[in-house]
Amino acid sequence: MADKCPVDHGSHSSDQSCPVDHKSRTTWASVLPGSSPAHPVNASSLSTEREVSSIPRTDNGNWVYPSEAQFFAAMARKNHSPHAPDMKTIIPIHNAVNERAWLELMKWESGRGGEKCGGVKLVTFKGRPNDLTPKARLMTLLGYSAPFDRHDWVVERCGTRIRYVIDFYTGRGAGPSSNNVSFYLDVRPALDNWEGVKMRAENIWQDWFRSVRSSSTPSQS
């Protein structure tokens, strides 16, 4: 099927499902810059074309992102007062950020054998913008900004399912382009099973080992 996209629209299957739910859509609309078209844009003129993601599904094919019209309609159904012109700005950024999330997730999966059984695939996803992860909560207590959104993605690797947590942070560029939005994604396996704990522990060890090797390597003058 090619009627889903990797942005949760309520953690259930429907012809609009895609990884950002209704709450997340509103959250993204609030942090992304609106457009200022030379000519007014109304909902009926929004594109119905959908972009196929690079994120594999478990039932063959890839997840498909929502069209401008679908994104707008889903927000309108929830009375979130969407602006049609903004869809032309939100959709490309929204899709690009989710592609980046998948690339970051695949860095964790690299070398873990997923390619032996057809590759790692995204099983389910859930947007949880109102639920801070323990790490995000700790960082906010230390004075850092809270993430504007959170997703939980469950992937399957050769029969093993791993839940990943993704915290989305945003910032503004400096200078004349200060209206530009930049994103930082903190992607990591959840610590709710042994596989996730093992992956996180291995990552800490590798980072420490690289740091030790780097500091012990004599500089050349």
mmCIF file of all heavy atoms in Angstrom, residues 72-101:
data_model
loop_
_atom_site.group_PDB
_atom_site.id
_atom_site.type_symbol
_atom_site.label_atom_id
_atom_site.label_comp_id
_atom_site.label_asym_id
_atom_site.label_seq_id
_atom_site.Cartn_x
_atom_site.Cartn_y
_atom_site.Cartn_z
ATOM 1 N N PHE A 72 -3.581 20.126 5.476
ATOM 2 C CA PHE A 72 -4.515 21.208 5.800
ATOM 3 C C PHE A 72 -5.828 20.644 6.333
ATOM 4 O O PHE A 72 -6.348 21.112 7.361
ATOM 5 C CB PHE A 72 -4.782 22.053 4.557
ATOM 6 C CG PHE A 72 -5.753 23.179 4.771
ATOM 7 C CD1 PHE A 72 -5.311 24.433 5.182
ATOM 8 C CD2 PHE A 72 -7.118 22.999 4.567
ATOM 9 C CE1 PHE A 72 -6.201 25.473 5.393
ATOM 10 C CE2 PHE A 72 -8.017 24.028 4.780
ATOM 11 C CZ PHE A 72 -7.565 25.270 5.188
ATOM 12 N N ALA A 73 -6.375 19.633 5.652
ATOM 13 C CA ALA A 73 -7.670 19.078 6.042
ATOM 14 C C ALA A 73 -7.621 18.438 7.426
ATOM 15 O O ALA A 73 -8.567 18.579 8.214
ATOM 16 C CB ALA A 73 -8.126 18.045 5.006
ATOM 17 N N ALA A 74 -6.528 17.749 7.729
ATOM 18 C CA ALA A 74 -6.407 17.105 9.035
ATOM 19 C C ALA A 74 -6.383 18.137 10.156
ATOM 20 O O ALA A 74 -7.004 17.949 11.212
ATOM 21 C CB ALA A 74 -5.144 16.249 9.075
ATOM 22 N N MET A 75 -5.685 19.251 9.937
ATOM 23 C CA MET A 75 -5.651 20.305 10.944
ATOM 24 C C MET A 75 -7.006 20.985 11.075
ATOM 25 O O MET A 75 -7.447 21.311 12.184
ATOM 26 C CB MET A 75 -4.567 21.333 10.590
ATOM 27 C CG MET A 75 -3.149 20.800 10.702
ATOM 28 S SD MET A 75 -1.901 22.061 10.310
ATOM 29 C CE MET A 75 -2.166 23.210 11.666
ATOM 30 N N ALA A 76 -7.678 21.180 9.953
ATOM 31 C CA ALA A 76 -8.990 21.831 9.984
ATOM 32 C C ALA A 76 -10.007 20.977 10.728
ATOM 33 O O ALA A 76 -10.849 21.502 11.461
ATOM 34 C CB ALA A 76 -9.465 22.105 8.559
ATOM 35 N N ARG A 77 -9.948 19.655 10.547
ATOM 36 C CA ARG A 77 -10.882 18.757 11.228
ATOM 37 C C ARG A 77 -10.751 18.862 12.739
ATOM 38 O O ARG A 77 -11.706 18.658 13.476
ATOM 39 C CB ARG A 77 -10.649 17.314 10.784
ATOM 40 C CG ARG A 77 -11.267 16.959 9.438
ATOM 41 C CD ARG A 77 -11.375 15.455 9.274
ATOM 42 N NE ARG A 77 -10.092 14.791 9.425
ATOM 43 C CZ ARG A 77 -9.246 14.588 8.429
ATOM 44 N NH1 ARG A 77 -9.543 15.023 7.199
ATOM 45 N NH2 ARG A 77 -8.100 13.968 8.621
ATOM 46 N N LYS A 78 -9.535 19.154 13.197
ATOM 47 C CA LYS A 78 -9.291 19.272 14.628
ATOM 48 C C LYS A 78 -9.426 20.716 15.118
ATOM 49 O O LYS A 78 -9.051 21.035 16.242
ATOM 50 C CB LYS A 78 -7.880 18.754 14.945
ATOM 51 C CG LYS A 78 -7.732 17.255 14.742
ATOM 52 C CD LYS A 78 -8.577 16.470 15.732
ATOM 53 C CE LYS A 78 -8.405 14.984 15.545
ATOM 54 N NZ LYS A 78 -9.173 14.203 16.539
ATOM 55 N N ASN A 79 -9.977 21.582 14.245
ATOM 56 C CA ASN A 79 -10.199 22.987 14.607
ATOM 57 C C ASN A 79 -8.912 23.700 15.023
ATOM 58 O O ASN A 79 -8.893 24.465 15.990
ATOM 59 C CB ASN A 79 -11.236 23.090 15.737
ATOM 60 C CG ASN A 79 -12.580 22.538 15.337
ATOM 61 O OD1 ASN A 79 -13.060 22.796 14.230
ATOM 62 N ND2 ASN A 79 -13.189 21.762 16.217
ATOM 63 N N HIS A 80 -7.846 23.452 14.278
ATOM 64 C CA HIS A 80 -6.568 24.080 14.586
ATOM 65 C C HIS A 80 -6.301 25.319 13.739
ATOM 66 O O HIS A 80 -5.182 25.840 13.740
ATOM 67 C CB HIS A 80 -5.427 23.074 14.395
ATOM 68 C CG HIS A 80 -5.436 21.963 15.412
ATOM 69 N ND1 HIS A 80 -5.704 22.177 16.743
ATOM 70 C CD2 HIS A 80 -5.220 20.632 15.278
ATOM 71 C CE1 HIS A 80 -5.644 21.028 17.398
ATOM 72 N NE2 HIS A 80 -5.354 20.068 16.521
ATOM 73 N N SER A 81 -7.291 25.790 13.012
ATOM 74 C CA SER A 81 -7.209 27.036 12.242
ATOM 75 C C SER A 81 -5.973 27.103 11.343
ATOM 76 O O SER A 81 -5.146 28.026 11.458
ATOM 77 C CB SER A 81 -7.219 28.242 13.200
ATOM 78 O OG SER A 81 -8.367 28.233 13.997
ATOM 79 N N PRO A 82 -5.815 26.154 10.437
ATOM 80 C CA PRO A 82 -4.649 26.185 9.545
ATOM 81 C C PRO A 82 -4.775 27.285 8.497
ATOM 82 O O PRO A 82 -5.879 27.741 8.181
ATOM 83 C CB PRO A 82 -4.688 24.808 8.880
ATOM 84 C CG PRO A 82 -6.146 24.464 8.848
ATOM 85 C CD PRO A 82 -6.711 25.015 10.135
ATOM 86 N N HIS A 83 -3.645 27.730 7.985
ATOM 87 C CA HIS A 83 -3.615 28.725 6.920
ATOM 88 C C HIS A 83 -3.118 28.041 5.652
ATOM 89 O O HIS A 83 -2.007 27.514 5.615
ATOM 90 C CB HIS A 83 -2.700 29.887 7.300
ATOM 91 C CG HIS A 83 -3.145 30.615 8.534
ATOM 92 N ND1 HIS A 83 -4.215 31.481 8.538
ATOM 93 C CD2 HIS A 83 -2.678 30.576 9.814
ATOM 94 C CE1 HIS A 83 -4.386 31.956 9.768
ATOM 95 N NE2 HIS A 83 -3.470 31.429 10.553
ATOM 96 N N ALA A 84 -3.930 28.064 4.624
ATOM 97 C CA ALA A 84 -3.601 27.359 3.387
ATOM 98 C C ALA A 84 -2.226 27.743 2.817
ATOM 99 O O ALA A 84 -1.459 26.858 2.406
ATOM 100 C CB ALA A 84 -4.700 27.585 2.352
ATOM 101 N N PRO A 85 -1.861 29.034 2.777
ATOM 102 C CA PRO A 85 -0.547 29.393 2.199
ATOM 103 C C PRO A 85 0.626 28.756 2.928
ATOM 104 O O PRO A 85 1.659 28.475 2.322
ATOM 105 C CB PRO A 85 -0.513 30.916 2.324
ATOM 106 C CG PRO A 85 -1.949 31.331 2.410
ATOM 107 C CD PRO A 85 -2.627 30.232 3.161
ATOM 108 N N ASP A 86 0.444 28.514 4.245
ATOM 109 C CA ASP A 86 1.549 27.951 5.029
ATOM 110 C C ASP A 86 1.891 26.527 4.620
ATOM 111 O O ASP A 86 3.012 26.053 4.862
ATOM 112 C CB ASP A 86 1.217 27.978 6.522
ATOM 113 C CG ASP A 86 1.087 29.382 7.070
ATOM 114 O OD1 ASP A 86 1.492 30.331 6.369
ATOM 115 O OD2 ASP A 86 0.567 29.538 8.194
ATOM 116 N N MET A 87 0.936 25.803 4.042
ATOM 117 C CA MET A 87 1.181 24.411 3.682
ATOM 118 C C MET A 87 2.332 24.270 2.697
ATOM 119 O O MET A 87 3.081 23.303 2.734
ATOM 120 C CB MET A 87 -0.077 23.784 3.084
ATOM 121 C CG MET A 87 -1.301 23.775 4.006
ATOM 122 S SD MET A 87 -1.031 22.890 5.570
ATOM 123 C CE MET A 87 -0.913 24.270 6.744
ATOM 124 N N LYS A 88 2.480 25.239 1.815
ATOM 125 C CA LYS A 88 3.536 25.168 0.802
ATOM 126 C C LYS A 88 4.920 25.343 1.424
ATOM 127 O O LYS A 88 5.931 24.978 0.816
ATOM 128 C CB LYS A 88 3.297 26.227 -0.279
ATOM 129 C CG LYS A 88 2.008 25.989 -1.068
ATOM 130 C CD LYS A 88 1.856 26.951 -2.216
ATOM 131 C CE LYS A 88 0.557 26.679 -2.971
ATOM 132 N NZ LYS A 88 0.541 25.326 -3.572
ATOM 133 N N THR A 89 4.969 25.897 2.618
ATOM 134 C CA THR A 89 6.230 26.032 3.337
ATOM 135 C C THR A 89 6.440 24.859 4.282
ATOM 136 O O THR A 89 7.547 24.322 4.390
ATOM 137 C CB THR A 89 6.243 27.338 4.163
ATOM 138 O OG1 THR A 89 6.050 28.448 3.289
ATOM 139 C CG2 THR A 89 7.558 27.492 4.909
ATOM 140 N N ILE A 90 5.372 24.455 4.965
ATOM 141 C CA ILE A 90 5.471 23.419 5.988
ATOM 142 C C ILE A 90 5.811 22.058 5.406
ATOM 143 O O ILE A 90 6.686 21.347 5.920
ATOM 144 C CB ILE A 90 4.151 23.336 6.787
ATOM 145 C CG1 ILE A 90 3.949 24.613 7.598
ATOM 146 C CG2 ILE A 90 4.148 22.114 7.699
ATOM 147 C CD1 ILE A 90 2.596 24.698 8.274
ATOM 148 N N ILE A 91 5.124 21.664 4.330
ATOM 149 C CA ILE A 91 5.265 20.308 3.809
ATOM 150 C C ILE A 91 6.703 19.948 3.432
ATOM 151 O O ILE A 91 7.225 18.915 3.866
ATOM 152 C CB ILE A 91 4.322 20.085 2.607
ATOM 153 C CG1 ILE A 91 2.856 20.132 3.061
ATOM 154 C CG2 ILE A 91 4.618 18.752 1.925
ATOM 155 C CD1 ILE A 91 2.468 19.039 4.022
ATOM 156 N N PRO A 92 7.412 20.768 2.622
ATOM 157 C CA PRO A 92 8.784 20.389 2.249
ATOM 158 C C PRO A 92 9.715 20.266 3.452
ATOM 159 O O PRO A 92 10.556 19.363 3.506
ATOM 160 C CB PRO A 92 9.231 21.528 1.322
ATOM 161 C CG PRO A 92 7.969 22.133 0.822
ATOM 162 C CD PRO A 92 6.987 22.011 1.952
ATOM 163 N N ILE A 93 9.567 21.180 4.430
ATOM 164 C CA ILE A 93 10.440 21.136 5.608
ATOM 165 C C ILE A 93 10.093 19.927 6.461
ATOM 166 O O ILE A 93 10.974 19.199 6.939
ATOM 167 C CB ILE A 93 10.313 22.438 6.421
ATOM 168 C CG1 ILE A 93 10.750 23.626 5.562
ATOM 169 C CG2 ILE A 93 11.164 22.357 7.686
ATOM 170 C CD1 ILE A 93 10.580 24.966 6.244
ATOM 171 N N HIS A 94 8.794 19.704 6.661
ATOM 172 C CA HIS A 94 8.322 18.572 7.436
ATOM 173 C C HIS A 94 8.851 17.260 6.865
ATOM 174 O O HIS A 94 9.363 16.386 7.582
ATOM 175 C CB HIS A 94 6.781 18.601 7.433
ATOM 176 C CG HIS A 94 6.114 17.283 7.629
ATOM 177 N ND1 HIS A 94 5.775 16.462 6.577
ATOM 178 C CD2 HIS A 94 5.681 16.661 8.742
ATOM 179 C CE1 HIS A 94 5.165 15.384 7.029
ATOM 180 N NE2 HIS A 94 5.102 15.476 8.341
ATOM 181 N N ASN A 95 8.802 17.092 5.559
ATOM 182 C CA ASN A 95 9.279 15.864 4.919
ATOM 183 C C ASN A 95 10.791 15.719 5.047
ATOM 184 O O ASN A 95 11.299 14.630 5.338
ATOM 185 C CB ASN A 95 8.883 15.855 3.438
ATOM 186 C CG ASN A 95 7.379 15.801 3.238
ATOM 187 O OD1 ASN A 95 6.607 15.727 4.197
ATOM 188 N ND2 ASN A 95 6.949 15.836 1.989
ATOM 189 N N ALA A 96 11.504 16.831 4.844
ATOM 190 C CA ALA A 96 12.966 16.794 4.917
ATOM 191 C C ALA A 96 13.449 16.442 6.324
ATOM 192 O O ALA A 96 14.414 15.679 6.488
ATOM 193 C CB ALA A 96 13.548 18.141 4.487
ATOM 194 N N VAL A 97 12.776 16.973 7.340
ATOM 195 C CA VAL A 97 13.183 16.697 8.719
ATOM 196 C C VAL A 97 12.947 15.228 9.064
ATOM 197 O O VAL A 97 13.761 14.590 9.737
ATOM 198 C CB VAL A 97 12.446 17.621 9.707
ATOM 199 C CG1 VAL A 97 12.693 17.200 11.143
ATOM 200 C CG2 VAL A 97 12.896 19.065 9.508
ATOM 201 N N ASN A 98 11.836 14.663 8.572
ATOM 202 C CA ASN A 98 11.583 13.248 8.831
ATOM 203 C C ASN A 98 12.567 12.347 8.085
ATOM 204 O O ASN A 98 12.949 11.287 8.585
ATOM 205 C CB ASN A 98 10.143 12.909 8.464
ATOM 206 C CG ASN A 98 9.183 13.287 9.571
ATOM 207 O OD1 ASN A 98 9.023 12.574 10.541
ATOM 208 N ND2 ASN A 98 8.557 14.445 9.425
ATOM 209 N N GLU A 99 12.999 12.772 6.906
ATOM 210 C CA GLU A 99 14.033 12.017 6.202
ATOM 211 C C GLU A 99 15.332 12.044 7.007
ATOM 212 O O GLU A 99 16.047 11.043 7.092
ATOM 213 C CB GLU A 99 14.264 12.618 4.814
ATOM 214 C CG GLU A 99 13.134 12.390 3.840
ATOM 215 C CD GLU A 99 12.944 10.926 3.485
ATOM 216 O OE1 GLU A 99 13.952 10.238 3.189
ATOM 217 O OE2 GLU A 99 11.788 10.453 3.505
ATOM 218 N N ARG A 100 15.607 13.190 7.608
ATOM 219 C CA ARG A 100 16.808 13.298 8.432
ATOM 220 C C ARG A 100 16.719 12.408 9.657
ATOM 221 O O ARG A 100 17.706 11.794 10.082
ATOM 222 C CB ARG A 100 17.013 14.758 8.853
ATOM 223 C CG ARG A 100 18.458 15.206 8.731
ATOM 224 C CD ARG A 100 18.583 16.687 8.938
ATOM 225 N NE ARG A 100 18.767 16.998 10.348
ATOM 226 C CZ ARG A 100 18.627 18.215 10.874
ATOM 227 N NH1 ARG A 100 18.270 19.216 10.104
ATOM 228 N NH2 ARG A 100 18.830 18.434 12.142
ATOM 229 N N ALA A 101 15.519 12.323 10.231
ATOM 230 C CA ALA A 101 15.313 11.465 11.401
ATOM 231 C C ALA A 101 15.615 10.015 11.046
ATOM 232 O O ALA A 101 16.252 9.286 11.826
ATOM 233 C CB ALA A 101 13.878 11.610 11.906
#
